[in-house]
Amino acid sequence: MASAPLVSHSQLVSDGQTAVLDGVTTNVAGVTIGTNGSFTLLVVTNGSSVTSGTVFIGMNGSAANNRLVVSAGSVWDNPGNFYVGHNGSFNKLDVVGASTVTNVYGYIGGDPPNSSSNTVLVSDPGSLWQSTYVYLGQSSGTNNQLIITNGGKVVSSFGVLGTGGGRGNSAIVTGAGSIWTNAGNLSIGDYSPNSVFIVTNGGTVFSGTLSGLGMLGTSSVSNLAIVTDAGSAWTIAGAFYVG
């Protein structure tokens, strides 16, 4: 298995290009996938292991449709921040094929005005996104999405859909074996409207100390949670608020 020394913050792949890490072990100080350009793709596959600092997928406002795929039993470990759409739109992280991504702060849609329609997909048995904090639509980000499907799993301590003015953000947990375990708060709408949370087709969610819809601020209106279909569940250990 190839390896590489620690290097400075790097793109690993140039804007608009495709790169594949196949069976590679590497340490990088930080990674940007799409600084200003679009359609940049980095695939980490075949048991690769990446340890990094801060990750940006779609750093600046012009950086759209960039993508990181972690697949085939690979691991990406980041002890800091992971941005899927820092300022850019339509950027994506795929955690698939029994792979793992770990970080402390996970942002799906970051700073306005361009951080919209970014997506994290966690799919397949054994696939895991472990993020202490999960924020969808931070600082007015709009229409960002978390999808947990086909046996994928997300483990977090705090999850927020729509915070600081983020509008129309959504999370979907669908399919038997698909799980979002949230030890602390799970909020659908913190100072933000129009967030949607759906648990369907046998998906399951657990949240701990505090959960609810329209949790903070007079702007937290028109938020929605739906739990539907046989076997679907949202188990709440602590207090639950609506409005």
Side-chain angles (χ1 to χ4, degrees):
M1 181 174 292
S3 63
L6 182 69
V7 297
S8 60
H9 200 282
S10 170
Q11 286 184 276
L12 287 181
V13 54
S14 299
D15 280 8
Q17 303 299 310
T18 296
V20 178
L21 300 182
D22 188 342
V24 169
T25 297
T26 188
N27 297 290
V28 289
V31 175
T32 301
I33 302 163
T35 302
N36 295 297
S38 299
F39 299 104
T40 309
L41 173 62
L42 177 62
V43 178
V44 181
T45 190
N46 193 23
S48 290
S49 178
V50 178
T51 303
S52 77
T54 300
V55 176
F56 297 97
I57 307 173
M59 177 181 279
N60 297 317
S62 60
N65 294 288
N66 302 288
R67 187 176 181 185
L68 169 62
V69 179
V70 184
S71 65
S74 298
V75 175
W76 192 301
D77 181 29
N78 169 18
N81 297 348
F82 207 114
Y83 294 92
V84 182
H86 182 253
N87 277 293
S89 297
F90 299 101
N91 300 287
K92 190 176 182 183
L93 166 66
D94 296 327
V95 186
V96 297
S99 297
T100 299
V101 172
T102 62
N103 55 267
V104 177
Y105 289 91
Y107 299 97
I108 309 172
D111 293 331
N114 299 308
S115 56
S116 66
S117 303
N118 301 286
T119 302
V120 170
L121 170 68
V122 184
S123 179
D124 308 327
S127 295
L128 170 66
W129 183 29
Q130 185 167 335
S131 179
T132 305
Y133 301 89
V134 174
Y135 294 110
L136 283 90
Q138 177 81 357
S139 302
S140 301
T142 60
N143 300 321
N144 301 286
Q145 190 171 59
L146 170 63
I147 302 170
I148 307 166
T149 186
N150 192 34
K153 186 175 183 179
V154 173
V155 175
S156 58
S157 294
F158 298 92
V160 182
L161 282 68
T163 178
R167 304 173 64 90
N169 299 283
S170 62
I172 301 171
V173 184
T174 180
S178 301
I179 301 171
W180 187 359
T181 299
N182 199 327
N185 298 1
L186 179 57
S187 302
I188 296 94
D190 273 6
Y191 301 106
S192 299
N194 305 116
S195 291
V196 178
F197 180 53
I198 300 174
V199 187
T200 184
N201 292 323
T204 57
V205 175
F206 173 85
S207 57
T209 54
L210 184 68
S211 302
L213 290 80
M215 295 290 285
L216 294 171
T218 57
S219 61
S220 294
V221 298
S222 300
N223 298 289
L224 174 66
I226 299 172
V227 182
T228 184
D229 302 323
S232 301
W234 181 7
T235 302
I236 302 165
F240 181 75
Y241 297 92
V242 178

